Amino acid sequence: MGVPVPVGVVALDPVLEAGTRSTLLACPELTVCEPGNARVAVLTVDRLGPAELDMVRTTRAHPTRPAVVLVAGALASGDALHALAAGARGLLLRREADASRLAHAVLAAAQDDCTVPTDLLEQVLDRPEGAERGWAGGSLSDRERSVLRMVADGHETAEIAQQLAYSPRTVTTVVHDITQRFRLRNRAHAVAYALRAGLL
């Protein structure tokens, strides 16, 4: 057996944090430490919303860049895709997160692998033609896709407006609508998110 993987616990609720710590302490392959010193961070949440997605992003943005395993009480349709796009390397439902499964997800994340239970993976992959793609607001329209492609190519608002025969205000509104609907920070984040989710 090698050196135990340092893992930190992050939760908005102290009870969830204590329960996760207790489960991790039962795993000899892992050592529980402060999140700032962790190779893998386990985020435990009730539900996935904007605050929880920000926790995933903030944790990933730490200078040590820990891998993130998200343990959620419940995941609504599309949440798995949001979590993966935000940077989670593993997903587990809390009712399934016993010591063995949690250790497996943490060890996989430490090796830059990704673990997603079959039912959650189907939620991400099972997108019938013409149906919403698991996003909170559905897929991109043709107009949104055209604008985002040009943003991805490095064009400024005025150039996009001229080439697509829209007003600059329309282009700005389209980008703003995309960032608001998918809870993104800016144009670059919108492009990255759409590419990761296969929308572009």
Side-chain angles (χ1 to χ4, degrees):
M1 178 152 88
V3 178
V5 173
V7 57
V9 179
V10 179
L12 295 173
D13 181 327
V15 174
L16 292 179
E17 183 177 346
T20 304
R21 278 181 176 277
S22 175
T23 302
L24 291 168
L25 288 170
C27 307
E29 314 94 331
L30 309 174
T31 181
V32 179
C33 65
E34 290 303 311
N37 301 322
R39 189 161 153 204
V40 179
V42 176
L43 272 62
T44 306
V45 300
D46 280 323
R47 297 193 178 281
L48 195 63
E52 290 77 12
L53 285 170
D54 283 342
M55 277 176 53
V56 173
R57 292 184 195 105
T58 301
T59 302
R60 286 289 296 142
H62 189 275
T64 59
R65 307 253 331 131
V68 173
V69 173
L70 181 70
V71 180
L75 289 171
S77 177
D79 283 352
L81 183 58
H82 282 292
L84 293 171
R89 300 291 293 172
L91 295 177
L92 280 173
L93 290 172
R94 209 163 57 226
R95 67 178 176 269
E96 299 168 349
D98 60 19
S100 171
R101 284 188 178 143
L102 187 54
H104 174 74
V106 168
L107 292 170
Q111 297 296 319
D112 274 341
D113 202 355
C114 187
T115 54
V116 181
T118 306
D119 56 333
L120 296 179
L121 185 59
E122 287 172 1
Q123 184 187 111
V124 173
L125 298 177
D126 186 21
R127 296 179 257 190
E129 188 103 10
E132 284 191 356
R133 302 183 67 159
W135 291 73
S139 63
L140 296 174
S141 69
D142 289 339
R143 178 167 78 167
E144 290 171 332
R145 197 172 290 108
S146 297
V147 169
L148 215 47
R149 274 196 191 109
M150 293 196 71
V151 170
D153 290 338
H155 296 286
E156 297 295 327
T157 300
E159 295 174 298
I160 298 169
Q162 185 177 11
Q163 195 160 340
L164 297 178
Y166 297 144
S167 72
R169 184 181 182 119
T170 298
V171 173
T172 303
T173 301
V174 167
V175 173
H176 179 266
D177 288 349
I178 293 167
T179 57
Q180 291 301 302
R181 186 178 344 139
F182 300 138
R183 299 180 230 141
L184 307 170
R185 291 187 298 274
N186 51 41
R187 293 162 63 118
H189 192 197
V191 170
Y193 211 40
L195 287 171
R196 286 166 118 177
L199 295 176
L200 275 184

